Amino acid sequence: QLASSLFGEETTQLSAVLHQLALFADPPQLSEQWMQSALRRIVSLVLKHHGPPPLHCALIRFFRDIAQDGSDLIGPKEFIAGVQFLGAYDCSGDKEVPLLHTGRLYKLF
């Protein structure tokens, strides 16, 4: 009944299911002020390189692209390398987003 209430009776794509489930997740607890603007900048880069929207589809494509072993699961090194490959370092360091160097990306992971 829960599935029917959330998604209806029609066949639903996995991306639509993930989107519905994400609506129930608590927002991440960010420990430092700069992290919110950094995440927004990374989201824009993911959409630019792995779009089109919706965001969760672009994120799935991003994670699949950077996963070394093909499992869609990544570790900190893969995350950092993937975000750096998108150009995070070069498009940060302005008044909105501090420089997204390796140490900061590791904290975001």
Side-chain angles (χ1 to χ4, degrees):
Q1 284 183 329
L2 177 61
S4 295
S5 297
L6 288 174
F7 308 112
E9 298 295 328
E10 300 202 18
T11 305
T12 306
Q13 291 184 338
L14 176 60
S15 62
V17 171
L18 293 173
H19 177 73
Q20 283 296 113
L21 291 173
L23 295 175
F24 291 99
D26 292 330
Q29 298 295 318
L30 304 176
S31 60
E32 297 182 35
Q33 188 81 18
W34 61 269
M35 291 178 165
Q36 186 66 41
S37 60
L39 287 174
R40 281 194 298 269
R41 183 70 51 94
I42 291 169
V43 162
S44 69
L45 289 170
V46 168
L47 286 170
K48 178 180 176 182
H49 293 275
H50 295 279
L55 175 59
H56 62 275
C57 292
L59 285 169
I60 289 170
R61 288 188 290 273
F62 169 71
F63 284 106
R64 284 185 178 159
D65 190 46
I66 65 173
Q68 298 289 322
D69 61 6
S71 69
D72 299 345
L73 299 174
I74 62 167
K77 289 180 182 179
E78 292 170 305
F79 172 76
I80 291 166
V83 172
Q84 286 175 334
F85 184 76
L86 295 178
Y89 186 83
D90 295 329
C91 77
S92 62
D94 54 33
K95 64 181 181 173
E96 183 183 337
V97 179
L99 198 58
L100 293 177
H101 54 69
T102 302
R104 284 200 174 113
L105 293 174
Y106 186 78
K107 283 184 175 184
L108 284 174
F109 184 79

